[in-house]
Amino acid sequence: MTKQIKVCSVEDLPPGTVTGAGPYAVGNIDGEYFAVTRRCRHLRADLAGGSIENGRLVCPWHQAAYDVQSGHMVRGPQQIFAKIPGLGTVFTTLTKLWPLGRGRVTFSGDDIVVE
Ligand code: FES
């Protein structure tokens, strides 16, 4: 039997928001819900504290951006890390091999559930 984790009610996760539920960062991109494992592949920041920008999940620490469907990092760490030659490419390549895990989002009444 698949483990189910209750996230919150649908009204508590409006478009453009992210929250945490167990091992997942769960968010809403224009009405499409997603669940990905919550540790950034860069320095393990909690992606549940991230933001949604241009349809991507953005890490709260150094603004790496993730495609939540594939779990791939599509923009490497920013700030000082963006000045290190090749670092962004290393992480975007790494997450093609080792993407964020993805959970399946379902609903139970008005509640969001991740499996
Ligand atoms: S910890 Fe996520 S980009 Fe640095």
Side-chain angles (χ1 to χ4, degrees):
M1 184 173 160
T2 305
K3 183 177 179 186
Q4 295 189 325
I5 301 168
K6 180 184 170 195
V7 181
C8 62
S9 70
V10 169
E11 69 182 24
D12 290 336
L13 195 64
T17 59
V18 184
T19 191
Y24 294 104
V26 183
N28 179 342
I29 299 177
D30 297 331
E32 298 288 325
Y33 297 91
F34 68 86
V36 294
T37 48
R38 60 198 283 179
R39 293 296 162 194
C40 181
R41 289 288 192 239
H42 178 221
L43 294 176
R44 297 183 51 78
D46 186 354
L47 294 170
S51 57
I52 305 295
E53 294 175 19
N54 300 319
R56 310 287 196 210
L57 172 61
V58 176
C59 177
W61 284 4
H62 313 112
Q63 291 72 51
Y66 289 90
D67 177 324
V68 295
Q69 298 304 317
S70 66
H72 298 165
M73 187 186 288
V74 294
R75 179 182 70 198
Q78 301 297 290
Q79 305 167 11
I80 187 83
F81 297 103
K83 297 180 178 168
I84 301 172
L87 185 77
T89 301
V90 167
F91 277 99
T92 55
T93 302
L94 172 72
T95 60
K96 285 180 181 159
L97 303 171
W98 189 39
L100 297 177
R102 276 91 67 211
R104 191 167 79 89
V105 176
T106 61
F107 300 91
S108 175
D110 291 336
D111 292 329
I112 300 166
V113 175
V114 176
E115 299 179 340

